[in-house]
Amino acid sequence: MDHKPGAYKVRDLRLANAGRMRIEWAESRMPVLAQLRAEYAPSQPFQGYKITGCLHVTKETAVLVETFAACGAAVAWSGCNPLSTNDKVAAALALGGIEIYAWYGQSVEEFYWSIDRTIDTPPHLTLDDGADLIFTVHNRFPHLAEHIIGGSEETTTGVQRLRAMAQDGKLLYPVYAVNDTETKWDFDNVYGTGQSTLDGILRASSVLIAGKNFVVAGYGHCGRGVAMRAKGLGANVIVTEVKPTAALKATLEGMRVMPMHEAAAIGDVFVTATGMKDIIRGDHFASMKDGAVVCNTGHYDVELNLKELNTLATGSRVIRKDNREYSLEDGRKLFILAEGRLVNLAAAEGHPSEVMDMSFANQFMAHLRLVKQRERGELPGNVVMDLPSSVDQHIAALKLETMGLKIDTLTPEQEAYATDYSAGT
Ligand code: ADE
């Protein structure tokens, strides 16, 4: 691809060719997004709009970014985690003329510097994974909100916080909760997180999963996906929970349920997927078996209290990529993967393209709706909005079609039966 000059800061532009091949690989497995691109590019619905995104810079994200650009948008991007950027992909995007500030291994200062650069020119639309961009606008650059039509949020954690902001009257523009669409959470959170988390653990440790006590903290959609995949590989899965219904579901799905202080002493591999801080802390680390492998797949790096582990440990060293060995006083060794950051993106490549296809089709539709709502004067107030279920069904139908699968349709008599309240036994 010719280099159209755009503002960028990436690790090394020479990685661009390798990045372009990764993007092509992802593209060939994201047919729904390809269809949306083919459908909307001719009418250029984003012409005149700038979309700023803060979301993991992966090969799948590149396909989304280039879909927005192909449909007329000016795009500026940064990563949403200091350890999740693929430098090859970032270089390919920069070389293709996308404004991007992202590289693997950013410091926290560099992370926020990158976000700030993406809003030097005020955006019309914001796209978040974890809400760091929207919080930056609200906390440090609230005047930009006047210019912003709306935004979208990709994750459970981000949506929870934005709903709280909206409830307190603090949200400055409307946001689509992309996370909450069925074609996102029911696939990406479950099968995406399930597979990519195991992928990250294996790349960083290569431990045998079969026969191990595999502890999953949190049995939401993500934790459930991880537990299912660990079970499939032959682990004895233990689930820790605070929510009675989730714990019950785990039990009935064949997992053992117990509190973390019991699980800590018998676990071989630990994964946190809760969105809550301090899930595994000093007293838990202190009781772990020699050789325990511990990681997090939740959005923020707050689930493992590594400060308390550092206090307990006599020392630590990186023993292999994404794997730090901590030595305890009595000689036990504990292994923390990816510095407690999300192991599926830091140590592996994130969710497979096939599931991101649907998640990002939802992102595309959310932004298209924002633009159309704005043009028709139909934007609501500063609320967190769900995408209508028709969007979900459309995306699912497209996905099925691209998989060559056909389904039944109800007959008119069946349609009538569904709402016939005179029908009974
Ligand atoms: N979140 C989880 N997996 C991802 C991926 N492959 N790309 C972007 N965001 C993700």
Side-chain angles (χ1 to χ4, degrees):
M1 197 176 276
D2 289 341
H3 184 210
K4 292 175 256 148
Y8 66 87
K9 184 164 164 64
V10 297
R11 173 76 58 203
D12 184 351
L13 270 193
R14 286 169 302 183
L15 300 171
N17 275 347
R20 180 52 52 193
M21 288 191 278
R22 294 279 175 116
I23 297 170
E24 284 173 17
W25 172 272
E27 219 161 35
S28 69
R29 284 157 181 77
M30 300 177 80
V32 175
L33 214 46
Q35 283 214 19
L36 294 176
R37 190 187 297 202
E39 183 178 345
Y40 289 102
S43 60
Q44 296 283 287
F46 293 111
Q47 189 61 246
Y49 292 99
K50 176 181 173 187
I51 303 177
T52 288
C54 176
L55 189 145
H56 308 291
V57 177
T58 64
K59 57 194 185 304
E60 292 77 21
T61 300
V63 179
L64 174 65
V65 165
E66 294 186 339
T67 301
F68 280 133
C71 293
V75 187
W77 215 263
S78 70
C80 66
N81 186 290
L83 293 189
S84 66
T85 292
N86 181 307
D87 286 324
K88 299 182 182 85
V89 169
L93 284 173
L95 195 63
I98 298 293
E99 184 181 350
I100 177 165
Y101 309 91
W103 58 98
Y104 177 88
Q106 288 188 322
S107 66
V108 172
E109 290 71 35
E110 289 167 334
F111 177 81
Y112 282 105
W113 177 88
S114 299
I115 292 181
D116 290 0
R117 294 294 71 71
T118 62
I119 51 179
D120 277 341
T121 308
H124 301 97
L125 297 153
T126 64
L127 189 157
D128 261 287
D129 183 324
D132 283 319
L133 167 61
I134 197 166
F135 291 158
T136 298
V137 169
H138 280 68
N139 298 335
R140 291 195 288 122
F141 305 101
H143 62 281
L144 292 182
E146 273 172 43
H147 194 264
I148 297 176
I149 298 166
S152 66
E153 169 55 51
E154 173 84 3
T155 63
T156 314
T157 313
V159 166
Q160 263 171 7
R161 289 176 185 197
L162 292 171
R163 286 199 193 282
M165 267 174 97
Q167 210 152 29
D168 289 351
K170 298 275 163 51
L171 194 63
L172 297 177
Y173 53 86
V175 179
Y176 272 114
V178 166
N179 178 71
D180 294 0
T181 61
E182 213 176 326
T183 43
K184 197 278 181 182
W185 67 258
D186 217 6
F187 298 90
D188 170 316
N189 299 19
V190 182
Y191 308 104
T193 308
Q195 178 167 322
S196 61
T197 300
L198 267 298
D199 188 6
I201 293 169
L202 293 175
R203 290 194 203 196
S205 72
S206 75
V207 288
L208 177 69
I209 302 294
K212 293 278 165 59
N213 286 337
F214 192 105
V215 181
V216 181
Y219 206 70
H221 306 122
C222 296
R224 183 164 170 258
V226 175
M228 277 165 54
R229 290 298 169 253
K231 200 170 185 208
L233 286 172
N236 303 309
V237 180
I238 296 169
V239 167
T240 71
E241 251 299 344
V242 290
K243 195 173 168 190
T245 46
L248 200 56
K249 193 190 276 183
T251 305
L252 269 59
E253 290 182 350
M255 317 295 167
R256 286 166 75 191
V257 172
M258 63 182 74
M260 182 57 85
H261 71 266
E262 286 176 29
I266 58 174
D268 298 298
V269 181
F270 294 81
V271 182
T272 55
T274 68
M276 178 48 65
K277 67 176 186 171
D278 295 339
I279 297 301
I280 300 184
R281 35 186 194 267
D283 52 333
H284 300 132
F285 286 121
S287 69
M288 282 183 188
K289 295 196 295 191
D290 182 35
V293 172
V294 186
C295 64
N296 164 53
T297 201
H299 185 79
Y300 295 116
D301 63 336
V302 295
E303 306 206 17
L304 311 181
N305 191 326
L306 296 184
K307 254 196 199 139
E308 293 186 1
L309 176 58
N310 269 306
T311 310
L312 280 177
T314 54
S316 81
R317 61 178 176 155
V318 174
I319 193 159
R320 52 184 283 174
K321 189 170 180 305
D322 298 314
N323 189 334
R324 182 177 288 276
E325 173 198 76
Y326 286 78
S327 302
L328 304 188
E329 216 156 340
D330 61 4
R332 275 175 299 153
K333 314 258 192 233
L334 305 181
F335 298 90
I336 303 292
L337 307 186
E339 298 174 22
R341 294 199 182 272
L342 20 72
V343 71
N344 61 335
L345 279 136
E349 292 174 57
H351 304 351
S353 311
E354 291 87 340
V355 284
M356 294 316 294
D357 190 21
M358 288 193 287
S359 309
F360 286 166
N362 279 295
Q363 285 287 5
F364 183 89
M365 293 308 292
H367 285 266
L368 194 62
R369 284 180 70 81
L370 284 167
V371 164
K372 294 221 159 116
Q373 283 174 302
R374 145 76 176 237
E375 288 171 359
R376 292 194 205 111
E378 287 172 3
L379 271 177
N382 300 335
V383 291
V384 176
M385 304 176 287
D386 287 326
L387 279 162
S389 107
S390 56
V391 170
D392 249 339
Q393 295 311 325
H394 179 57
I395 290 173
L398 282 178
K399 189 74 181 172
L400 283 171
E401 195 183 308
T402 64
M403 294 166 85
L405 298 173
K406 293 193 171 64
I407 58 172
D408 289 324
T409 45
L410 292 178
T411 63
E413 293 75 19
Q414 286 172 317
E415 294 266 19
Y417 178 79
T419 51
D420 180 4
Y421 48 84
S422 71
T425 309

